Amino acid sequence: MASTLKLISLLILSSAIIQMAMADPDIISDFIKPTPNATVDANYFTFTGMRGLVGTTPATFSVSKATSAEFPAIFGQSVSYAVLRFPSGTVNPLHTHPRSAELLFLVNGTLEVGFVDTKNNLFTQTMQTGDLFVFPKGLVHYQYNADAQNPALAISAFGSASAGTVSIPSTLFTTNIDDNVLALSLKTDVATVEKLKAGLTQKP
């Protein structure tokens, strides 16, 4: 009985340590100063990098981020933001966020979205303006503007100051993984792998 309790306690402690290691740092002050002796005013808590995004449409899919890398004031605050702009017919390719779920709000247009869970179930939805959709933490997902005429604009919120993004195409085909390994893993041949790699390096 005592050994069982010790085992349960150890498992609970291990789980807590793993969760702490994966979460944003728990700061013990209101915020983190850029340098210890810095004088901080409201400008430090203001991010202007999204100005000019609304009402404009880029030629290709684009993401503008406000993570701790771009906006240091959010370090330790467990929050970040992204604005996603989709010209007609563009996709945000398959990717994951290893450190956070993503809550996507569609400001205008329509988007086809989806994610795959750990049992290989695909969940898809066609979002309309004003809809929200949640992509669970760490799961492969995408967004696609299938509308041939109209752009779409979406805002994503994350529960981490640095959610991270792992692009599936880039991870597979632009990181020098051996072509034979890729061919065997994808049940194809090296020539097909090379074509996929070439497609990713071509300018749109």
Side-chain angles (χ1 to χ4, degrees):
M1 180 65 174
S3 62
T4 302
L5 286 174
K6 283 183 182 177
L7 179 60
I8 291 170
S9 297
L10 184 59
L11 289 172
I12 291 170
L13 180 61
S14 298
S15 176
I17 290 170
I18 290 168
Q19 288 299 318
M20 286 169 50
M22 291 175 18
D24 280 1
D26 190 12
I27 61 175
I28 55 172
S29 58
D30 294 336
F31 53 86
I32 303 293
K33 288 185 175 186
T35 58
N37 297 323
T39 301
V40 174
D41 62 14
N43 289 322
Y44 178 64
F45 301 100
T46 306
F47 182 70
T48 61
M50 304 295 186
R51 289 180 180 176
L53 295 184
V54 177
T56 63
T57 304
T60 60
F61 166 75
S62 74
V63 180
S64 300
K65 298 180 181 179
T67 71
S68 56
E70 296 84 16
F71 189 16
I74 64 173
F75 181 77
Q77 302 299 328
S78 299
V79 65
S80 60
Y81 213 57
V83 174
L84 297 82
R85 296 185 294 163
F86 298 84
S88 59
T90 58
V91 66
N92 184 1
L94 296 166
H95 62 283
T96 69
H97 302 293
R99 295 184 288 275
S100 177
E102 174 181 359
L103 183 61
L104 184 124
F105 171 61
L106 187 57
V107 177
N108 64 43
T110 60
L111 282 178
E112 293 181 14
V113 300
F115 70 87
V116 179
D117 71 9
T118 56
K119 295 178 181 176
N120 281 337
N121 296 310
L122 174 64
F123 297 86
T124 62
Q125 184 63 268
T126 299
M127 296 179 68
Q128 306 296 321
T129 298
D131 291 351
L132 286 99
F133 191 87
V134 65
F135 301 98
K137 179 179 178 179
L139 298 184
V140 173
H141 62 280
Y142 65 90
Q143 300 103 20
Y144 171 51
N145 180 9
D147 189 322
Q149 304 295 323
N150 300 300
L153 176 70
I155 297 171
S156 288
F158 300 92
S160 168
S162 179
T165 300
V166 179
S167 167
I168 305 303
S170 294
T171 298
L172 291 178
F173 301 112
T174 67
T175 56
N176 298 319
I177 296 174
D178 185 89
D179 287 354
N180 290 305
V181 172
L182 288 170
L184 289 168
S185 299
L186 299 171
K187 309 244 184 289
T188 189
D189 53 56
V190 169
T192 301
V193 169
E194 289 173 349
K195 284 181 184 176
L196 290 167
K197 285 185 172 183
L200 281 174
T201 58
Q202 290 173 358
K203 299 270 184 189

